[in-house]
Amino acid sequence: MKKEIIEFTRLGMAIRYNASEWIPGEKFTTMKTAKGDSRVSRFVITKDVTKVFFLITHNGFGKRVLIKELKNEKMGGIGHKVTKITMKTGLITTTTLDKKIFKITIAGQSGERVVKIESKLIPIIGLRSQGVKLIMLLPGERVVRVN
């Protein structure tokens, strides 16, 4: 089975490349990022087995996207825009591979709370869209983690 790596950044970029290009422990640039951007996740996937990824922003916008929409490129490229980042959506909190139920942790001044959302309720939509509002946040709250 052919393995690939997908990396995502806080400003909504992603890159997909062959796992054979990546050497653990070596120092090199796997993806060119804009000033102020940083990686939020990296996944090793088996081509044609893993089909969908999920992303969510600080302000509760999320979506599922077909992995095949990300074109494979050489490691070290600039990647592709995977979501619109605006003041309304906030930055990407995290990305994860698709599963049946997502546990989304929200933090605010009054502490943390966890919301569970079934995967099938989250639409699969295109790369360039901002996603849909998954969670109504109270003032001062933001999404901090997904399990």
Side-chain angles (χ1 to χ4, degrees):
M1 290 272 189
K2 184 177 177 185
K3 295 200 181 287
E4 296 177 328
I5 296 175
I6 301 178
E7 297 183 21
F8 298 88
T9 72
R10 197 156 304 286
L11 294 178
M13 299 297 288
I15 190 169
R16 175 181 170 191
Y17 56 90
N18 292 326
S20 62
E21 296 179 52
W22 189 69
I23 305 167
E26 293 288 318
K27 290 199 174 232
F28 49 78
T29 302
T30 56
M31 179 181 181
K32 293 177 185 163
T33 56
K35 187 175 181 178
D37 199 1
S38 60
R39 185 175 56 234
V40 293
S41 56
R42 175 189 291 147
F43 301 104
V44 177
I45 63 167
T46 303
K47 189 175 179 173
D48 300 327
V49 173
T50 309
K51 306 253 186 241
V52 178
F53 67 86
F54 167 73
L55 67 83
I56 192 164
T57 66
H58 291 322
N59 295 340
F61 284 80
K63 65 180 179 176
R64 295 186 309 146
V65 178
L66 295 172
I67 288 175
K68 69 180 182 183
E69 286 196 42
L70 280 175
K71 303 294 183 236
N72 199 325
E73 61 182 275
K74 293 278 187 202
M75 185 179 71
I78 60 171
H80 307 279
K81 190 82 166 159
V82 292
T83 192
K84 287 183 180 177
I85 299 295
T86 64
M87 293 296 287
K88 182 170 92 172
T89 64
L91 301 175
I92 291 180
T93 299
T94 192
T95 58
T96 185
L97 299 177
D98 206 18
K99 51 187 164 185
K100 288 188 181 198
I101 294 180
F102 295 104
K103 293 179 185 174
I104 301 168
T105 304
I106 300 163
Q109 296 169 340
S110 60
E112 289 189 351
R113 62 187 171 109
V114 176
V115 176
K116 293 180 183 179
I117 299 177
E118 287 184 68
S119 176
K120 66 182 178 185
L121 299 176
I122 303 168
I124 294 177
I125 51 183
L127 288 177
R128 300 215 181 260
S129 68
Q130 70 181 10
V132 296
K133 186 77 168 174
L134 297 176
I135 304 167
M136 298 306 288
L137 301 174
L138 299 173
E141 286 187 326
R142 71 181 201 137
V143 175
V144 294
R145 184 172 47 256
V146 174
N147 295 333

